[in-house]
Amino acid sequence: YAGRGRGRGQLSFSIEAVGIGKGENLPPSTVQPTQLFPPLEHKPVPLQTSEEAEYMLALKQEFRGAMKTLPFYIRPAAPKKDVERYSDKYQSTEPSDNTIEWTPENPVIPKESKKPRVNKEEIIRKLETLEKKEEEVSSDEEEGEKKKTEEEEAEGEEEYDEEEFEEETDYIMSYFDNGEEFGADSDDNMDEAIY
Amino acid sequence: MTAQEVRLCGLLLQEHFGEVVEKMGTELLRSGALNLRALAHQTSTPLDLVKKSLCVLVQHGMCVFGPGRRGPGGPVEYTANCERILYMLRYPRYIYTAKSLYGDTGELVIEEILQRGQMTMSCTVRTVADRLTHSMEDGQSMEYSEVITAFTRLVETHFLQRCPPVDSMGTAGKASSGSSDASAVPQPARPETHPDCYLIPQVHLTGRGKRRRSNEDGEAEEINAKKPRLENEVCGDEGIFWQVNFERFHLHFRHQSIISAVASKLDPTSSEIVRTMLRLSEVTTPANTAHTQALSANEIFRALPVSYNISRPILDQYLTLLVDDPMEFVSKTGDSGGGMYVVNLHRALANLARVTLESVVQERFGSRSARIFRLLLRKRHLEQKQVEDFAMIPAKEAKDMLYTLLSQNLVQLQEIPKTPDFAPSRTFYLYTVNQLPTARLLLHNCYKAVGNLIERRLFETKENRRLLEKSQRIEAILASLQGGGADAAQLSDVEEMITAPERQQLEALRHHINKLDSSENQVDETIFLLESYINSTQSSH
């Protein structure tokens, strides 16, 4: 109902304005979704049955049939059977790959083989340089941090050093970033365990 | 691209290329541009199948590739073309049009090229000649030169065009930083920009179609006949591929619609005059303009077909009739040359779309609802009371109809406040119909309808698959028996393997499938009309 809050039962618009007269019976409200196939009030106009329509129908069906025989119709690989069955000998399997008949005459799609390798090498090189930089920075800071932590806390500190340099566990590395925040946080989080 | 369009594209791809290509196409449509590995990963499909599918899609112009997000050095990205995929619905119409313009030869040329996406001229000529020879009487065959003639005519009138050239990727490495054009990835340009787009290559192509040799092994011959002949002889047009120019066909369809509208509203002579005007301005009028270039009455008179032997003053009278008609097919834009006239393409399309919408309302909701709809289209905004009065329909029924139309979104309600506080008692509530969004709505419904038709047809086929297979097996047995010279008793024995109720069921199935297929064709006519109107409106504003 519209007009909630301004006194119960009052609407924010006058019913007359939208054309519902006083005391008029409104159609019953809908309590369920509409039927899947509701009855049609008006029957649809019958289809055209001209010669043109008939011919186009034939063209359509023939085209569909023809496409299924061409090498462009790609069938997925036959599913692997669980056990070799005796009847397999007598069943003809569908041609799993009839694209062998068709080699695209145009260089249809660009060659892709080189691309990923090039990218991988680049990425690996980049990562290596970044890692080296990280290690340099963090080892510098590490010395500064070490002095601080030795003064403030003794427990678990050596564990931490090893873990930071453990390159397999990336999680740890990123968790502590370059070690810059370690000193800053330790003052605030004295109660928390150090991982 | 709406969900219904994507669904329809998927169904069409599946019908013509199978479920693997469908999966790739649908994924590309949903995700936008994707590179090869992303596509393989997202669809969990082996790389070789992905590549084959992309080859098929690119071959048929339904997918393009270009430099990806990471620029020329990064992996190539593929984008599917929804509009082009939907054209598959219209293939029968393209083929039939080619037949009506250029006979059986033209029909087969277009059919072959549509089936294969792109073909060289020599390949097309050989294949079509063979097909035509096959349907001719024994001892006769089709000359290559005849097929070349039909092919040339199709190119001259721009129904066929060369595929835009795509440079090979073979030696390309990283893009040179110097020129911005030098991208390592080939970019297919618009075909019309290529200067040789409609240039027939010099070919050495003489001969006749070859008849399929009758063989005991009928099946193997079948497959060979379907393959295009890969002759060893070189013809001189290797690497020059041709594709169907869909836009040219669409122009033809639009003109046909306008001409037949004039014929049914006025008379055949008026439609011939309009046909002549359109023919004169075909090559000079770009795709989505609002009207043709201006033609003088003198020009039109000279270009009229010889069979229409009307005098000059009569022509002027017809032109005046066309100009004065409320549909405004033709307008007069000047007085030189005996009068300058244009065909109002956009207005004609808008009128055709309008009557389509009105017809839909009439067939779904009855003629009185249609009267209300037409009223609102003409009068733009009307209050409840005004609708009742103008349409001459009692208040209660008018209200009912308006609410039905409102619930179907065919009619909208607009509020015009008299006071700034939008108080309901002091606000006008006006009913209105806006043609463009309504056309879009109906177009969307059409896509959904075709999707439903296809799904129903697949369902019917699947339900009766056992029976269909049985019927096909029996047909095959009958054919081989007849070939082997069996007697009538044997044949009737085999025929009786299908029982009478089964025969009835097959007959009913065939009838249903034909109806569903035919419906698809006819809904596509509406789709084309609405799309044309919407495109024309969008480009003129």
Side-chain angles (χ1 to χ4, degrees):
Chain A
Y1 257 91
R4 46 191 176 186
R6 282 195 167 246
R8 301 249 193 91
Q10 283 179 22
L11 305 168
S12 70
F13 59 93
S14 86
I15 304 195
E16 278 82 31
V18 289
I20 305 171
K22 263 205 166 84
E24 207 176 304
N25 284 330
L26 293 166
S29 33
T30 325
V31 294
Q32 56 196 350
T34 49
Q35 293 174 282
L36 199 54
F37 294 109
L40 288 174
E41 281 173 34
H42 305 269
K43 291 278 176 268
V45 178
L47 292 173
Q48 291 169 28
T49 48
S50 62
E51 211 180 287
E52 181 178 331
E54 296 286 322
Y55 196 84
M56 290 213 346
L57 170 64
L59 282 175
K60 183 177 199 283
Q61 292 178 337
E62 277 166 27
F63 196 93
R64 188 162 63 225
M67 289 306 283
K68 289 197 160 68
T69 66
L70 287 175
F72 309 113
Y73 198 94
I74 297 180
R75 294 180 166 83
K80 285 197 168 62
K81 296 203 170 68
D82 47 356
V83 172
E84 215 181 280
R85 302 203 181 258
Y86 181 77
S87 60
D88 288 348
K89 258 205 295 184
Y90 299 101
Q91 272 176 4
S92 58
T93 49
E94 277 186 26
S96 58
D97 187 5
N98 57 356
T99 52
I100 299 166
E101 289 174 19
W102 167 62
T103 46
E105 293 166 33
N106 247 340
V108 179
I109 59 173
K111 291 187 177 37
E112 296 257 2
S113 48
K114 281 220 162 18
K115 290 282 154 183
R117 258 186 284 143
V118 170
N119 281 341
K120 266 195 192 155
E121 284 166 17
E122 272 183 30
I123 290 170
I124 289 171
R125 264 186 280 119
K126 276 190 189 156
L127 279 175
E128 280 168 0
T129 33
L130 279 172
E131 270 180 28
K132 284 198 189 102
K133 281 189 192 157
E134 261 189 41
E135 283 170 22
E136 287 168 16
V137 170
S138 54
S139 59
D140 286 340
E141 292 188 350
E142 210 42 42
E143 284 169 357
E145 295 301 317
K146 262 191 194 166
K147 287 181 191 156
K148 259 201 208 170
T149 50
E150 270 167 356
E151 290 162 11
E152 291 166 357
E153 282 159 318
E155 53 152 334
E157 194 232 334
E158 271 151 352
E159 271 176 33
Y160 165 68
D161 285 345
E162 280 173 8
E163 278 172 337
E164 196 189 67
F165 280 107
E166 243 177 59
E167 280 154 48
E168 285 133 29
T169 46
D170 288 343
Y171 174 77
I172 306 289
M173 291 279 276
S174 57
Y175 186 75
F176 279 99
D177 210 10
N178 288 339
E180 284 166 24
E181 276 115 76
F182 179 72
D185 279 346
S186 60
D187 286 329
D188 300 327
N189 302 330
M190 289 291 280
D191 297 326
E192 283 183 19
I194 298 168
Y195 298 101
Chain B
M1 203 182 348
T2 62
Q4 287 302 332
E5 284 175 89
V6 175
R7 171 194 178 218
L8 182 52
C9 285
L11 289 166
L12 290 168
L13 287 173
Q14 189 183 326
E15 286 238 292
H16 292 91
F17 303 118
E19 48 185 81
V20 179
V21 177
E22 182 269 315
K23 208 168 173 190
M24 299 305 122
T26 304
E27 191 63 34
L28 282 174
L29 286 169
R30 289 215 178 99
S31 309
L34 283 177
N35 66 47
L36 185 65
R37 288 186 184 273
L39 180 59
H41 177 67
Q42 276 171 227
T43 55
S44 315
T45 310
L47 211 58
D48 65 323
L49 277 182
V50 178
K51 280 188 193 170
K52 278 184 198 140
S53 306
L54 287 173
C55 276
V56 168
L57 289 171
V58 171
Q59 167 89 1
H60 284 80
M62 296 176 191
C63 171
V64 291
F65 50 82
R69 278 163 270 236
R70 286 186 243 163
V76 171
E77 281 187 350
Y78 298 87
T79 319
N81 185 346
C82 175
E83 198 177 53
R84 172 64 184 89
I85 297 173
L86 290 177
Y87 291 168
M88 284 200 276
L89 201 50
R90 209 165 291 143
Y91 279 5
R93 197 171 173 185
Y94 301 129
I95 300 169
Y96 186 78
T97 301
K99 183 190 177 74
S100 63
L101 292 173
Y102 301 109
D104 288 346
T105 319
E107 176 193 356
L108 289 188
V109 167
I110 295 293
E111 191 177 55
E112 282 294 324
I113 298 182
L114 283 174
Q115 278 180 7
R116 294 189 172 270
Q118 37 178 286
M119 277 173 103
T120 60
M121 181 166 118
S122 45
C123 192
T124 313
V125 168
R126 288 198 204 100
T127 314
V128 170
D130 287 350
R131 275 184 72 178
L132 286 167
T133 303
H134 177 65
S135 64
M136 287 161 105
E137 285 171 19
D138 275 339
Q140 290 192 328
S141 58
M142 173 60 85
E143 273 268 4
Y144 282 178
S145 56
E146 265 190 68
V147 184
I148 293 175
T149 308
F151 191 99
T152 309
R153 292 287 292 130
L154 282 162
V155 173
E156 282 170 356
T157 46
H158 294 195
F159 285 104
L160 284 176
Q161 61 188 182
R162 285 203 198 187
C163 297
V166 173
D167 300 313
S168 168
M169 255 283 286
T171 53
K174 291 204 176 73
S176 58
S177 50
S179 71
S180 54
D181 283 344
S183 50
V185 178
Q187 300 222 46
R190 281 198 53 71
E192 288 81 24
T193 57
H194 191 237
D196 292 338
C197 185
Y198 301 108
L199 184 66
I200 301 271
Q202 297 289 340
V203 278
H204 314 293
L205 198 57
T206 49
R208 312 184 72 90
K210 290 172 184 57
R211 183 171 296 280
R212 196 177 81 181
R213 271 175 286 124
S214 60
N215 214 338
E216 276 112 40
D217 192 3
E219 258 193 62
E221 239 359 290
E222 271 285 331
I223 297 168
N224 283 333
K226 293 277 187 349
K227 264 200 310 196
R229 297 195 152 271
L230 300 167
E231 303 279 344
N232 292 329
E233 44 182 284
V234 168
C235 285
D237 70 337
E238 282 68 36
I240 301 175
F241 292 90
W242 298 86
Q243 64 188 19
V244 169
N245 182 359
F246 295 102
E247 279 316 309
R248 179 65 183 89
F249 276 98
H250 295 165
L251 184 79
H252 180 83
F253 296 158
R254 285 195 296 272
H255 288 182
Q256 286 297 102
S257 311
I258 295 173
I259 291 164
S260 63
V262 175
S264 57
K265 182 96 200 303
L266 296 169
D267 72 319
T269 310
S270 307
S271 75
E272 272 311 309
I273 294 169
V274 173
R275 188 198 298 274
T276 307
M277 290 176 77
L278 288 170
R279 193 168 31 89
L280 283 171
S281 46
E282 232 164 35
V283 279
T284 49
T285 310
N288 279 318
T289 46
H291 34 248
T292 61
Q293 62 165 88
L295 297 162
S296 69
N298 294 335
E299 271 180 285
I300 300 169
F301 183 67
R302 279 196 297 269
L304 277 176
V306 192
S307 48
Y308 272 85
N309 201 6
I310 59 175
S311 66
R312 184 52 206 277
I314 303 283
L315 170 68
D316 287 335
Q317 282 183 0
Y318 270 107
L319 285 169
T320 311
L321 255 171
L322 280 163
V323 169
D324 288 342
D325 189 271
M327 294 283 259
E328 293 180 294
F329 291 114
V330 173
S331 291
K332 190 169 184 184
T333 59
D335 291 309
S336 60
M340 300 296 280
Y341 297 89
V342 292
V343 179
N344 292 319
L345 299 167
H346 174 67
R347 205 154 301 152
L349 289 173
N351 281 329
L352 284 168
R354 178 178 51 81
V355 301
T356 304
L357 300 183
E358 290 171 3
S359 171
V360 168
V361 174
Q362 177 163 309
E363 294 307 323
R364 278 176 67 189
F365 304 107
S367 43
R368 292 197 296 171
S369 295
R371 203 188 313 158
I372 292 176
F373 185 79
R374 275 198 297 273
L375 195 64
L376 285 168
L377 261 177
R378 275 166 181 70
K379 300 273 189 181
R380 294 307 188 98
H381 300 280
L382 288 175
E383 280 184 297
Q384 173 85 45
K385 187 83 176 53
Q386 288 173 298
V387 172
E388 292 163 22
D389 292 342
F390 281 123
M392 296 179 287
I393 296 174
K396 191 155 185 284
E397 290 164 52
K399 227 179 300 171
D400 207 26
M401 290 175 195
L402 273 168
Y403 292 161
T404 308
L405 290 173
L406 194 64
S407 69
Q408 296 288 325
N409 260 314
L410 291 164
V411 151
Q412 279 80 46
L413 198 55
Q414 194 162 2
E415 298 168 3
I416 314 273
K418 293 186 224 184
T419 53
D421 64 355
F422 275 84
S425 55
R426 296 188 290 275
T427 309
F428 286 115
Y429 290 95
L430 300 175
Y431 289 98
T432 184
V433 175
N434 203 333
Q435 189 166 320
L436 184 60
T438 311
R440 283 211 179 93
L441 174 75
L442 275 188
L443 178 61
H444 184 256
N445 283 355
C446 285
Y447 291 137
K448 189 172 177 187
V450 179
N452 289 351
L453 287 167
I454 297 177
E455 294 233 25
R456 182 71 204 190
R457 178 165 46 79
L458 293 173
F459 172 78
E460 294 272 330
T461 310
K462 197 169 160 197
E463 280 283 287
N464 293 280
R465 193 173 53 172
R466 195 198 63 83
L467 186 57
L468 273 170
E469 281 173 1
K470 179 176 177 183
S471 157
Q472 280 164 359
R473 274 204 308 275
I474 296 196
E475 290 289 318
I477 296 172
L478 275 173
S480 66
L481 275 182
Q482 276 178 332
D487 58 44
Q490 279 180 303
L491 290 173
S492 66
D493 273 345
V494 172
E495 276 170 9
E496 273 164 30
M497 284 167 66
I498 301 187
T499 66
E502 280 180 334
R503 228 174 263 284
Q504 259 184 331
Q505 199 180 337
L506 274 172
E507 189 51 46
L509 176 65
R510 181 105 314 264
H511 180 69
H512 289 159
I513 290 184
N514 284 350
K515 242 189 163 163
L516 292 165
D517 266 327
S518 206
S519 303
E520 281 179 55
N521 284 341
Q522 292 185 25
V523 177
D524 181 64
E525 281 183 29
T526 309
I527 287 177
F528 180 74
L529 212 62
L530 293 173
E531 276 177 353
S532 300
Y533 160 67
I534 292 167
N535 289 338
S536 177
T537 312
Q538 282 176 328
S539 50
S540 53
H541 292 141

